[in-house]
Amino acid sequence: MLVKPKIVALFGLMALAVSLFPDTCMADCATSSCGNLPIKSPFRLHSDPKGCSSPEYELVCENNRTTLPLKLGAYQNFLVEEISYDKYTVRLVDASLDRNKCSIPYYPFLKFQCWPYQNGPSFRNITGNSIMYVLSCNMPISSPLYVDASNCTNSPSSPHTYFFLFNNQAKLSDFNESCRIEAQFPVMLSNISGLSASDIYFQMLMGFELNYWVWIDYNSPEYCTSFSLLDKM
Ligand SMILES: *[C@@H]1O[C@H](CO)[C@@H](O)[C@H](O)[C@H]1NC(C)=O
Ligand SMILES: *[C@@H]1O[C@H](CO)[C@@H](O)[C@H](O)[C@H]1NC(C)=O
Ligand SMILES: *[C@@H]1O[C@H](CO)[C@@H](O)[C@H](O)[C@H]1NC(C)=O
Ligand SMILES: *[C@@H]1O[C@H](CO)[C@@H](O)[C@H](O)[C@H]1NC(C)=O
Ligand SMILES: CC(=O)N[C@H]1CO[C@H](CO)[C@@H](O)[C@@H]1O
């Protein structure tokens, strides 16, 4: 079981290499750019010649801003803030976030940690990302693991809203049964104790990083179960 993902990754790389570099196109596939962001293999822009890179890696360039449309139930646009071609990572920020005030996006429920493996590039989480949950609780919770999120929500019906981080260090027993999950999103944080809601929102505006050069074995359950609160409940 330990060996399997590596083998899959290797075959994945080979398969990608073959599909991304058909010998007909190399000459035309110059680096393009959107704003200040250089776009090159494996990514492409719509305006790049056909055959350069794979369509699943096509980014949208509008007004010098690069976005990646990802399917999260419905399509959701993520700004591509950074691409590290050395580390094979992209840093994505939800394009719907309001930079001027704390407002939490309500993503549809799905297995975030498997997301968006179902379609498109095999992005996967990398170290440092955790799943942030927004909880709505029946009573006030006083715990360093819960950060008051009431300033970020406009739901008068549930006055006790909290940020709650769940990662592989978190214990299910830390989840208070008087709460229910309202929203979830990936964030580059591993500990929210002592942070304010605006600290957390600032970090959300920094987005999260995903590794793009990994071939996922969709049938391997270990990719999807490692730190999902929903799966453990
Ligand atoms: C995009 O950036 C280029 C170069 O910096 C600039 O000339 C152009 O006006 C910008 N376009 C928009 C829509 O901002
Ligand atoms: C849940 O929160 C309530 C109110 O703060 C507290 O009384 C209760 O002990 C908590 N339960 C757990 C399991 O932490
Ligand atoms: C909510 O926002 C107000 C005004 O900015 C601030 O004074 C207050 O401390 C915030 N409350 C929390 C719990 O962050
Ligand atoms: C989280 O941060 C708090 C405050 O900075 C610190 O006291 C605590 O030890 C940290 N917890 C972990 C698990 O790192
Ligand atoms: C679900 C998943 O793939 N989680 C992984 C996120 O990244 C860390 C560090 O690379 C892994 O340990 C997790 O298994």
Side-chain angles (χ1 to χ4, degrees):
M1 272 328 269
L2 275 176
V3 173
K4 196 178 163 205
K6 283 198 184 123
I7 294 174
V8 173
L10 185 63
F11 278 114
L13 277 182
M14 283 159 54
L16 266 180
V18 170
S19 66
L20 294 180
F21 307 113
D23 47 16
T24 47
C25 89
M26 285 307 282
D28 295 332
C29 297
T31 301
S32 42
S33 69
C34 178
N36 296 323
L37 196 70
I39 313 286
K40 59 183 185 183
S41 172
F43 295 98
R44 56 168 283 121
L45 292 175
H46 190 65
S47 51
D48 288 341
K50 275 204 170 71
C52 290
S53 297
S54 173
E56 299 92 69
Y57 286 83
E58 188 164 291
L59 304 174
V60 177
C61 184
E62 253 172 29
N63 302 325
N64 289 341
R65 308 218 67 176
T66 313
T67 57
L68 173 66
L70 287 178
K71 199 153 191 259
L72 289 167
Y75 276 99
Q76 181 114 8
N77 277 327
F78 287 87
L79 297 171
V80 182
E81 293 289 341
E82 206 178 330
I83 301 176
S84 168
Y85 293 100
D86 301 329
K87 292 191 295 164
Y88 308 113
T89 58
V90 286
R91 183 162 59 84
L92 305 177
V93 176
D94 185 331
S96 72
L97 291 182
D98 187 334
R99 298 213 154 245
N100 301 312
K101 70 169 190 351
C102 186
S103 63
I104 299 162
Y106 280 65
Y107 294 122
F109 280 97
L110 44 79
K111 292 191 167 186
F112 232 124
Q113 47 299 325
C114 289
W115 159 93
Y117 304 167
Q118 297 89 333
N119 41 10
S122 308
F123 292 109
R124 71 176 281 214
N125 92 98
I126 62 165
T127 318
N129 288 340
S130 311
I131 306 286
M132 177 73 80
Y133 290 92
V134 178
L135 304 182
S136 164
C137 307
N138 290 338
M139 41 190 151
I141 312 280
S142 166
S143 153
L145 301 173
Y146 288 69
V147 172
D148 190 327
S150 49
N151 274 1
C152 301
T153 55
N154 41 15
S155 163
S157 58
S158 52
H160 311 299
T161 355
Y162 297 93
F163 288 114
F164 177 74
L165 197 67
F166 200 73
N167 57 21
N168 32 26
Q169 282 122 53
K171 296 193 294 291
L172 185 56
S173 57
D174 294 331
F175 179 80
N176 193 294
E177 70 272 11
S178 85
C179 306
R180 59 170 198 279
I181 299 169
E182 296 280 358
Q184 53 175 355
F185 46 86
V187 68
M188 292 189 288
L189 280 172
S190 54
N191 181 2
I192 60 170
S193 297
L195 299 185
S196 69
S198 52
D199 294 335
I200 290 173
Y201 195 65
F202 178 80
Q203 198 58 38
M204 282 176 69
L205 291 173
M206 296 297 292
F208 54 96
E209 271 190 323
L210 294 175
N211 199 300
Y212 62 78
W213 201 244
V214 180
W215 195 260
I216 297 296
D217 177 1
Y218 298 103
N219 298 319
S220 165
E222 62 220 76
Y223 285 112
C224 306
T225 53
S226 48
F227 67 141
S228 167
L229 181 56
L230 294 174
D231 277 347
K232 291 186 175 154
M233 285 169 88

